[in-house]
Amino acid sequence: MTTDPLVALRPWEAPEVTSWGRLPMNAVDRRSGALPLDGDWRFQLLSVPDAPVGGAWSSARVPGVWTMQDTADLPQYLNIRMPYPEFPPGSPTANPTGVYEREVDVPAEWAGRRIALQVGAAESVLLVHVDGRPVGISKDSHLAAEFDLSGVVRPGERATVRLTVVKWSDASHIEDQDQWWHGGITRSVLLYATDPLYLADVTVRAPYSGELRVDCRVRDTGGALPEGWYVTGELDGQLLDQDPEFDRANVEDERVSDFLGEARLLTTAPEVRTWNAESPELYDLTVRLHRADGTVADISRHRIGFRDVEIVGRDLLVNGERVFIRGVNRHDFHPLTGRTVSYDDIRADLLVLKRFGFNAIRTAHYPNDPTLYDLADELGFYVVDEADIESHDHAHEIADDPRYLNAFVDRVSRMVLRDKNHPSVIIWSLGNESDYGANHDAAAGWVRRHDPTRPLQYEGAAKLDWAATDDASDIACPMYAPLEDCIAHALSGEQTRPLIQCEYSHAMGNSNGTLADHWAAIEATPGLQGGFIWEFWDHGILQRVSDGRPAGRGGAGLYDNGVAAPGYRWAYGGDFGEPDHDGAFIADGVVFPDRKPKPAMYEHREIAAPLRIECFKHEGIVLGNHQHFRGLNWLAAVWELVLADGRTLTAPAELPDLCPGETAAVPLPFEVPRDGGEAWLTLRVTTAEDEPWAPRGTEVCVPQIRLRGPAVAADVAVDGRVEIDGEGRLVHPLLTVAPALSLWRAPTDNDELGGMAPRWRDWGLDALVRKVVSVREDAGRVTVVAEYAGTIGVVRHRQVLTAVEGGVRVEEEAELPEAFHDVARVGTVFETVAGLDLLEWFGQGPWESYPDRSTGAPVGHHSVPVDELFTPYLRPQESGGRHGVRRFTLSAPDATGLSVALDEPRQVSVTRYRAEDLATAGHHDELVPRPGCVVHIDAAHRGLGTASCGPDTFPSYRVAPGIHRWSWTLRVL
Ligand code: IPT
């Protein structure tokens, strides 16, 4: 039996115990001037929390999870299910427990000062000992815990700090988020000292009006406050006023002042520069606590922003404006360190988000690293700050379990106390996927009293009735709601509060179909204001293939462009040998694990474009400013006239001076040549100057409008021969596999989880059996009729091959019986000889696009090496498609090769992989590229949708049965 009182308490199975000896949370940032304790600590991993600590130490990096370092306990991915069967508050007997220890030399100059230890974050139970003495306990894995060590350590001497971290606990049941399970200390540890008289908290109210109020709470370790103390504040160098009323009430009445130690500072910022996500104007606020002689006892520095957030009717208003929330859900994630992220990591995340048009972040599903909020203030994001509560597997039991009441209120209140001064935080969230119960109402009550300046949201409450007015949510914030339901609600006349989806457009694999349709509806429907895409990251962990271990920090640089270096791969659920896991569902972000943006990001960027081409009228091109607060002077642009004949003409663009919401016509910058066929006008919009989030010249959006439709050019039939083999297949010197009918694609994650792919396999779409019915040859033309048999019927396919000038024209017709009512594609597939490594096309691009995700890909003349066309989604799947392709060439460096002209804009893909190559690989590193090209030309291609978690694509993007016709002409270059 252990004699350690902290261990003997078994706090890991006591939900009522949320902390012991922990200091109250506050908004005074102690990071600067502190003694950092990050680095290598002595470490041992116990198999159970009450095992004796032995003499065998290894070392572990702090901050860092031990699951990504060299220990026996590896990451495990499970979404909803807990990794063990014990009911809350129980935990499994086998319970990895990390013991971290190190010596700390307490500075001699700290004599007489108050000394505190801050542990940035530890999951899931932290026990603190100093020199063998129990100091404190903390739970709440994503917020800091502070402990007063004043009476425990001696300045000028060395102390031994031991941090014991128990992995599984009662708290794990309310930290059941959809992410990797890890264990360890994930944020920095530090020691700091203050005067015995110190600023215990600072609360800033900085409304749009500029009337600043700063409430300060002072403490004295001696107990009663000394006579004569006072607080001053400075806003950008200007002294703040004391609130005389307030001071008198607190200072003159001995009892009140001794206990409360409160002071209030006031000012009105003249000509206030207000904060919003487009122009995040910040002010420096410095609060000083003075001793009676005027000397400074403590300082607290803040960067504050003046802004209002309120709900009026059913609109969420920022500074009076109904802003659109173009949000994303963000975890603290890194492929080498798990949940430990640096300032640079976070900044890089936010720069990518800004560059792709996002203006909001939901800190899914816990308070993120404190730096996130500093940077969101600085770069401009609206933040939904979410408490660390997700009880998914046992949601119903826990929501009303009084043993967890304290934990709910504790977690929500500590988040609010930490983050309340950030202008970026516009909404509090009670957590995620935890049903709805009295524990939520208790936490909601606390927030609403403590911070009436911000709305509160909780999906679990609002989902019961979007129109309710008496629950724990001020916002209807559903997840993955069908668009038609959202529109119907907004039009119903019943709407009582803003509708902003907390999660939508699930970004797993090749996804985010119908995003543009969503936004067209949001922008057109009062009452709808946006949502948060699920999610930012693909949480792939860099893993050594040889021994299956996480690469850890040693993996730095071993990836590029979304792909892991040879010998490594992006691990997802199951890859660490977890007996129970949820596979690739962890890879559902808009960026790869190395933060490389997926093609869907370009779609988002265009949908969020600040400047748009509205239409083309006789007076010119109508441009519109779609921002809420900013003019257009931060943008520069160039016009492009794209002509089907291959020309792209450019002209400088003068952008009109438009206020938000305004439109103006500008003259068409080109004389459009009469010849040249189809014509498109593109505006390439870039940053005019350096922005805090992008250097000058960074592309912001590429709006486009069609000026002229295509001219119809008929192929001229010539006398010639089309060669076919005995099976009626085209024989061509540049093709290694003749053109055949294809109805299948390598299932996307949406196809698999949405149920389409299993159906397609049942139907035999992946292995259609071709049988020639007839071959008829006459004067330079061959007609081949074949049947492609699946298990549910036969698709009749006719190919008419005609010799035309320079090549062969292929006219095709496929007749899909009713049973084939929702197939992946209807089109042609063929393979080319090796060496044709460059694709050039006229159509949408340059990035990947699909029928329901093609808004962000402008029509143009694009050119991309074949190897770069493919998108390396973590679990290989259909990828690399290009929408609206009119013609393309595939060529070798010596310009030999082939060209294909299509009858209409079609979905085309050129990759190194057959659909079955992709469908049978679990990871990208298992793929063996084929030397030639696998080319698909589709008459119809199913949209991507988001059915891996949420709505499927719309019926209009599905492939209907019946007759499909398409044609194309193949020529040798
Ligand atoms: C929803 C979760 O909130 C989120 O954490 C993630 O799991 C997402 O789904 C899917 O990737 S919950 C789901 C049951 C709708």
Side-chain angles (χ1 to χ4, degrees):
M1 271 302 282
T2 177
T3 50
D4 182 329
L6 295 192
V7 175
L9 267 176
R10 301 181 69 79
W12 55 89
E13 36 187 50
E16 304 85 345
V17 178
T18 53
S19 69
W20 175 76
R22 188 176 69 192
L23 293 167
M25 182 55 92
N26 59 77
V28 180
D29 188 349
R30 299 293 178 183
R31 283 174 290 178
S32 65
L35 182 68
L37 300 184
D38 291 349
D40 291 331
W41 287 48
R42 282 194 295 284
F43 180 76
Q44 52 183 285
L45 191 64
L46 310 178
S47 54
V48 290
D50 43 8
V53 178
W57 295 95
S58 59
S59 93
R61 176 84 164 247
V62 172
V65 288
W66 67 66
T67 31
M68 300 283 280
Q69 302 186 37
D70 217 12
T71 74
D73 188 31
L74 290 171
Q76 174 175 10
Y77 169 54
L78 269 175
N79 171 12
I80 298 170
R81 284 165 303 142
M82 288 296 288
Y84 46 83
E86 282 76 9
F87 277 92
S91 44
T93 315
N95 191 353
T97 299
V99 183
Y100 296 79
E101 210 176 78
R102 65 166 279 170
E103 274 66 53
V104 179
D105 290 316
V106 182
E109 59 272 23
W110 286 4
R113 309 205 78 200
R114 167 182 167 266
I115 299 172
L117 172 74
Q118 183 187 88
V119 180
E123 52 192 78
S124 69
V125 182
L126 170 70
L127 313 179
V128 182
H129 294 84
V130 175
D131 292 334
R133 287 170 61 182
V135 166
I137 298 176
S138 178
K139 296 176 190 171
D140 196 0
S141 295
H142 299 277
L143 283 177
E146 293 191 346
F147 305 91
D148 191 340
L149 301 189
S150 309
V152 184
V153 296
R154 271 184 297 280
E157 293 187 14
R158 172 168 281 204
T160 302
V161 176
R162 175 184 288 184
L163 304 178
T164 304
V165 182
V166 183
K167 182 169 177 180
W168 305 122
S169 69
D170 54 85
S172 308
H173 290 284
I174 53 170
E175 295 179 359
D176 181 21
Q177 289 97 354
D178 180 8
Q179 58 179 346
W180 293 99
W181 287 103
H182 288 294
I185 297 172
T186 56
R187 295 185 192 146
S188 291
V189 179
L190 50 94
L191 201 63
Y192 68 87
T194 69
D195 195 270
L197 184 68
Y198 64 99
L199 285 165
D201 202 5
V202 173
T203 303
V204 177
R205 292 272 157 86
Y208 182 70
S209 63
E211 291 161 47
L212 177 67
R213 191 181 100 185
V214 183
D215 285 303
C216 309
R217 184 168 278 238
V218 180
R219 285 279 174 272
D220 190 308
T221 45
L225 289 159
E227 284 283 312
W229 61 271
Y230 63 99
V231 177
T232 60
E234 247 179 58
L235 183 70
D236 273 4
Q238 295 294 311
L239 263 188
L240 271 53
D241 304 322
Q242 311 277 331
D243 182 341
E245 303 284 305
F246 194 82
D247 272 356
R248 211 172 317 117
N250 288 284
V251 178
E252 283 181 0
D253 179 335
E254 279 287 283
R255 282 168 307 131
V256 178
S257 115
D258 285 357
F259 174 66
L260 284 176
E262 287 179 347
R264 176 171 289 175
L265 307 168
L266 299 173
T267 196
T268 299
E271 290 173 40
V272 63
R273 292 173 280 110
T274 55
W275 185 98
N276 60 66
E278 292 168 15
S279 309
E281 296 283 353
L282 294 176
Y283 287 77
D284 289 321
L285 171 72
T286 308
V287 177
R288 294 188 178 85
L289 170 65
H290 303 261
R291 303 182 192 95
D293 64 1
T295 53
V296 175
D298 201 2
I299 294 197
S300 181
R301 295 182 204 281
H302 305 260
R303 302 200 74 200
I304 65 161
F306 290 88
R307 61 114 189 83
D308 283 348
V309 51
E310 60 190 326
I311 292 175
V312 176
R314 56 180 183 172
D315 296 328
L316 175 78
L317 307 182
V318 172
N319 301 343
E321 289 294 321
R322 175 177 170 262
V323 295
F324 286 122
I325 300 295
R326 303 181 185 279
V328 75
N329 282 277
R330 178 189 176 279
H331 276 272
D332 281 341
F333 170 80
H334 194 279
L336 305 182
T337 55
R339 268 198 267 291
T340 296
V341 286
S342 67
Y343 173 91
D344 290 343
D345 294 328
I346 298 171
R347 194 178 167 85
D349 291 0
L350 298 196
L351 297 195
V352 170
L353 286 172
K354 279 299 254 195
R355 289 177 193 172
F356 286 89
F358 290 87
N359 69 358
I361 292 169
R362 173 175 176 237
T363 66
H365 297 301
Y366 43 80
N368 284 187
D369 189 286
T371 302
L372 183 276
Y373 305 80
D374 298 339
L375 287 170
D377 294 343
E378 183 184 316
L379 296 168
F381 285 95
Y382 303 119
V383 173
V384 173
D385 201 5
E386 187 152 284
D388 189 4
I389 302 175
E390 174 161 347
S391 59
H392 216 145
D393 200 8
H394 298 288
H396 188 63
E397 298 95 302
I398 290 177
D400 280 307
D401 185 337
R403 292 173 298 177
Y404 278 94
L405 169 62
N406 185 20
F408 275 55
V409 179
D410 188 59
R411 285 162 187 254
V412 172
S413 61
R414 280 172 24 91
M415 168 183 77
V416 172
L417 289 166
R418 184 190 73 165
D419 295 334
K420 62 194 168 204
N421 295 336
H422 289 281
S424 56
V425 175
I426 62 161
I427 297 169
W428 303 115
S429 162
L430 296 180
N432 186 55
E433 287 285 359
S434 304
D435 207 321
Y436 180 34
N439 293 344
H440 292 102
D441 282 335
W446 189 93
V447 184
R448 284 174 167 154
R449 164 57 70 109
H450 188 85
D451 181 17
T453 71
R454 292 177 176 91
L456 172 68
Q457 75 172 49
Y458 178 53
E459 183 268 341
K463 77 172 171 196
L464 302 173
D465 175 4
W466 292 357
T469 52
D470 57 355
D471 62 17
S473 193
D474 302 323
I475 294 173
C477 45
M479 43 173 70
Y480 313 107
L483 180 59
E484 60 272 22
D485 293 2
C486 298
I487 297 171
H489 181 65
L491 299 180
S492 67
E494 306 287 309
Q495 192 179 2
T496 54
R497 45 186 171 180
L499 200 164
I500 301 169
Q501 294 216 53
C502 70
E503 294 176 25
Y504 82 109
S505 199
H506 195 248
M508 182 179 187
N510 193 354
S511 187
N512 305 100
T514 72
L515 193 61
D517 306 80
H518 273 72
W519 273 95
I522 290 165
E523 295 192 359
T525 314
L528 304 186
Q529 268 187 272
F532 296 80
I533 288 180
W534 186 267
E535 65 173 316
F536 182 60
W537 283 108
D538 262 0
H539 300 222
I541 290 178
L542 190 72
Q543 182 187 40
R544 270 195 304 271
V545 177
S546 58
D547 60 2
R549 300 199 57 91
R553 289 180 188 270
L558 290 172
Y559 43 78
D560 186 27
N561 248 331
V563 180
Y568 291 82
R569 66 178 184 180
W570 299 126
Y572 51 74
D575 289 340
F576 294 107
E578 309 109 282
D580 201 7
H581 61 82
D582 283 314
F585 206 62
I586 191 72
D588 53 2
V590 288
V591 298
F592 287 95
D594 65 351
R595 211 182 282 107
K596 158 110 177 157
K598 288 187 183 173
M601 287 288 263
Y602 292 91
E603 183 80 350
H604 187 271
R605 190 180 79 173
E606 204 56 41
I607 292 167
L611 166 61
R612 306 198 191 158
I613 300 179
E614 308 292 340
C615 57
F616 175 37
K617 287 199 190 146
H618 62 276
E619 64 265 38
I621 310 288
V622 181
L623 298 180
N625 178 354
H626 282 253
Q627 301 166 99
H628 298 292
F629 301 101
R630 257 185 136 178
L632 295 181
N633 54 3
W634 64 284
L635 298 171
V638 173
W639 291 109
E640 277 180 11
L641 179 64
V642 179
L643 297 165
D645 65 6
R647 284 179 289 171
T648 301
L649 314 177
T650 59
E654 278 287 322
L655 295 182
D657 193 10
L658 294 180
C659 291
E662 281 184 355
T663 60
V666 298
L668 185 63
F670 299 97
E671 188 76 44
V672 182
R674 281 177 182 286
D675 55 345
E678 191 179 346
W680 289 78
L681 183 68
T682 313
L683 190 59
R684 280 198 184 272
V685 183
T686 54
T687 48
E689 302 295 339
D690 288 350
E691 288 287 319
W693 45 270
R696 174 194 171 151
T698 303
E699 199 163 79
V700 173
C701 54
V702 200
Q704 188 176 55
I705 193 166
R706 193 172 84 166
L707 297 180
R708 189 166 62 203
V712 192
D715 289 318
V716 185
V718 293
D719 272 357
R721 245 193 85 133
V722 175
E723 199 183 331
I724 53 164
D725 67 12
E727 291 294 307
R729 294 184 228 256
L730 176 70
V731 175
H732 189 281
L734 293 178
L735 304 192
T736 54
V737 175
L741 178 70
S742 171
L743 305 181
W744 191 61
R745 65 185 179 199
T748 63
D749 293 312
N750 290 328
D751 295 339
E752 283 295 356
L753 297 174
M756 288 73 82
R759 215 160 52 219
W760 296 337
R761 280 190 290 262
D762 283 352
W763 295 352
L765 293 195
D766 53 336
L768 295 173
V769 180
R770 177 177 182 272
K771 193 179 93 197
V772 185
V773 175
S774 66
V775 178
R776 210 178 66 226
E777 290 190 60
D778 62 281
R781 162 193 295 239
V782 184
T783 303
V784 183
V785 176
E787 283 179 354
Y788 285 75
T791 58
I792 47 160
V794 166
V795 175
R796 205 176 159 83
H797 176 239
R798 194 177 61 164
Q799 230 176 23
V800 181
L801 307 164
T802 312
V804 293
E805 223 171 275
V808 51
R809 179 172 169 79
V810 185
E811 289 160 283
E812 312 206 42
E813 184 182 289
E815 191 180 338
L816 274 64
E818 275 303 314
F820 291 73
H821 59 81
D822 184 8
V823 299
R825 58 164 33 121
V826 177
T828 309
V829 60
F830 61 81
E831 292 177 29
T832 74
V833 296
L836 309 182
D837 295 337
L838 181 69
L839 180 76
E840 291 171 279
W841 75 99
F842 176 49
Q844 291 190 249
W847 29 82
E848 181 190 273
S849 53
Y850 282 84
D852 62 351
R853 204 192 67 211
S854 70
T855 302
V859 175
H861 300 287
H862 304 290
S863 162
V864 176
V866 171
D867 288 330
E868 292 168 26
L869 288 162
F870 179 74
T871 310
Y873 296 110
L874 259 61
R875 194 188 63 76
Q877 54 196 277
E878 160 66 30
S879 114
R882 298 298 187 278
H883 192 61
V885 176
R886 283 91 167 138
R887 62 165 191 265
F888 63 89
T889 64
L890 266 171
S891 59
D894 64 1
T896 59
L898 58 84
S899 77
V900 170
L902 302 163
D903 56 343
E904 285 179 23
R906 300 281 183 193
Q907 182 77 19
V908 166
S909 77
V910 179
T911 69
R912 300 286 186 205
Y913 308 106
R914 292 183 183 162
E916 67 259 31
D917 299 342
L918 299 170
T920 49
H923 291 82
H924 192 67
D925 66 312
E926 295 158 31
L927 293 172
V928 183
R930 292 178 184 273
C933 300
V934 178
V935 181
H936 279 275
I937 297 169
D938 293 330
H941 193 105
R942 193 183 198 280
L944 299 167
T946 63
S948 52
C949 183
D952 192 2
T953 194
F954 300 148
S956 54
Y957 296 117
R958 295 185 199 159
V959 179
I963 296 182
H964 294 260
R965 292 195 184 87
W966 68 107
S967 65
W968 49 287
T969 304
L970 174 68
R971 292 189 173 87
V972 175
L973 290 179

